[in-house]
């Protein structure tokens, strides 16, 4: 997705924009409290209403920019509104979920607060009713003056929701123990997974035992010319047509066809492995997808899929239970 520079700016500056509504809502309870003053009530109810209204309106921009930002950095799906938390290790996604829910709760409470303030301002202090100030306060108890205690409470809940949301936002931007630990763990997992970037063992296929003396045609794998290579630990089982033992793997190097002969144009590498726990894993690697075929590969010029990538479901369709399918 290529966004306009303006959208780009709105998204990126989310951590800055949020301070406008946050700042306004932080001073709102002060203005509301001050409205309990016996003589300044009228002005401070109006002030409270304006602070609340502007803060609430400004927050729509903050919500919008947060959504766009979340989508741009792929924490939220392209048409989603909340991040999907797939497992409990996704600390950032989980914090973001609560961050968004707290922000939305604040938005709803804020809307109610603005409405209440507007009604109080119109009812008790609207222009034209001269002397209303006096009527309003005469005979009222302290907590019934100004914006009134219930509205003050709603305002405080509003601050609470956004304060909490803001705290989580700060954690996501600057990190805390949990997010830092999750990032460190992800880093370590990647470092331990030597094939995260490239299928190193598959690329080294020529060091394995050739299972076939020369190339043969493979209808099952794009009608290419194939040659199968198997680890020494699995070659006997492979030749006997059995499933490879744990730790063993087979790589199929391929070439495209040229008038019934293997061409020099290298095709993808296919890999099938029996993991230590007996399960089967697949990999598909194509260093350079030819121009004409890129449409079939999501317009990528380079493809590297590994189990459990759903794009490898077709492999499982034929290689059920990890065995070599009958030809
Ligand atoms: C249409 C069925 C079919 C599909 C789909 C398929 N295969 Fe195969 N595969 C076979 C058959 C049949 C063989 C035996 C050799 C041959 O016929 O080329 C084989 C052989 C292999 C081999 C050589 C080791 C062995 O078990 O013989 C590997 C590695 C392999 N496939 C990987 C893959 C991967 C990775 C995918 C998915 C990207 C895949 N295959 C998709 C049918 C299929």
């Amino acid at each position: 997705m290529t966004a306009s520079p303006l959208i780009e700016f709105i998204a990126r500056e989310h951590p800055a924009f949020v301070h406008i509504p946050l700042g306004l809502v932080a001073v709102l309870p002060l203005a509301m409290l001050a409205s309990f003053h016996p003589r300044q009530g009228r002005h401070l109810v109006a002030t409270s209403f304006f602070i609340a209204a502007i803060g609430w309106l400004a927050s729509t921009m903050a919500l919008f920019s947060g959504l766009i930002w979340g989508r741009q950095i792929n924490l939220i799906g392209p048409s989603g509104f909340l991040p999907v938390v797939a497992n409990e290790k996704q600390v950032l996604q989980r914090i973001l979920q609560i961050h968004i829910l707290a922000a939305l709760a604040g938005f709803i409470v804020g809307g109610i607060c603005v409405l209440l303030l507007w009604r109080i301002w119109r009812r008790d202090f609207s222009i034209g009713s001269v002397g209303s100030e006096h009527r309003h306060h005469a005979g009222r108890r302290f907590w019934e003056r100004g914006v009134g205690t219930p509205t003050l409470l709603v305002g405080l809940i509003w601050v609470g929701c956004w304060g909490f949301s803001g705290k989580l936002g700060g954690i996501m931007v600057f990190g805390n123990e949990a997010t830092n630990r999750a990032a460190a763990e992800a880093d370590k997992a990647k470092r331990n997974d030597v094939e995260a970037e490239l299928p190193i063992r598959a690329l080294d296929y020529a060091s394995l035992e050739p299972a076939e003396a020369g190339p043969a045609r493979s209808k099952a794998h794009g009608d290419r010319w194939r040659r199968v290579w198997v680890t020494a630990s699995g070659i006997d089982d492979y030749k006997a047509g059995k499933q490879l033992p744990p730790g063993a793997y087979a790589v199929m190097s391929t070439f495209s066809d040229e008038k019934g002969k293997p061409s020099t144009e290298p095709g993808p590498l296919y890999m099938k492995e029996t993991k230590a726990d007996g399960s089967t894993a697949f990999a598909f690697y194509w260093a350079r997808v030819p121009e004409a075929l890129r449409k079939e590969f999501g317009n990528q010029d380079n493809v590297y899929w590994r189990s459990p990538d759903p794009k490898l479901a077709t492999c499982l369709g034929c290689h059920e239970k990890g065995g070599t399918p009958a030809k």
Side-chain angles (χ1 to χ4, degrees), residues 114-277:
V114 171
L115 223 84
L116 288 172
L117 285 170
W118 183 72
R119 280 188 46 201
I120 293 163
W121 181 49
R122 297 294 298 175
R123 191 190 62 207
D124 295 340
F125 298 106
S126 57
I127 316 143
S129 53
V130 182
S132 66
E133 178 88 355
H134 189 73
R135 269 207 310 281
H136 176 58
H137 280 103
R140 285 207 175 171
R141 276 180 277 244
F142 181 73
W143 59 85
E144 290 172 335
R145 292 184 202 143
V147 299
T149 333
T151 311
L152 175 65
L153 256 165
V154 173
L156 287 172
I157 296 172
W158 186 4
V159 181
C161 289
W162 279 2
F164 182 55
S165 179
K167 183 181 152 62
L168 296 179
I171 290 173
M172 285 187 288
V173 173
F174 301 111
N176 75 349
E177 224 176 301
T179 57
N180 292 345
R181 197 168 48 236
E185 267 170 22
D187 259 7
K188 194 166 149 214
K190 204 166 179 184
R191 241 180 294 123
N192 288 342
D193 179 3
V194 288
E195 295 191 335
E197 312 285 349
L198 279 175
I200 295 164
R201 289 172 304 162
L203 287 166
D204 202 26
Y205 62 84
S207 70
L208 307 180
E209 304 292 327
E212 295 161 308
R217 198 76 175 261
S218 175
K219 285 238 175 332
H221 307 86
D223 207 10
R224 299 186 174 87
W225 289 86
R226 65 145 204 266
R227 203 165 165 203
V228 175
W229 312 76
V230 183
T231 50
S233 61
I235 188 76
D236 292 341
D237 283 358
Y238 179 79
K239 286 191 168 153
K242 291 196 242 162
Q243 191 186 345
L244 300 178
Y249 57 90
V251 179
M252 181 191 287
S253 59
T254 63
F255 289 90
S256 57
D257 177 75
E258 197 177 285
K259 299 186 189 107
K261 282 204 174 98
S263 79
T264 52
E265 185 78 44
L269 287 176
Y270 298 78
M271 182 175 175
K272 192 171 90 180
E273 176 184 7
T274 304
K275 307 262 254 193
D277 65 3

Side-chain angles (χ1 to χ4, degrees), residues 270-273 275 280-284 304-309 312-323:
Y270 298 78
M271 182 175 175
K272 192 171 90 180
E273 176 184 7
K275 307 262 254 193
T280 304
F282 296 97
F284 179 87
Y304 177 28
W305 299 330
R306 294 196 295 162
S307 295
D309 193 318
L312 296 175
T314 52
C315 315
L316 251 183
C318 283
H319 291 266
E320 212 183 346
K321 298 203 190 86

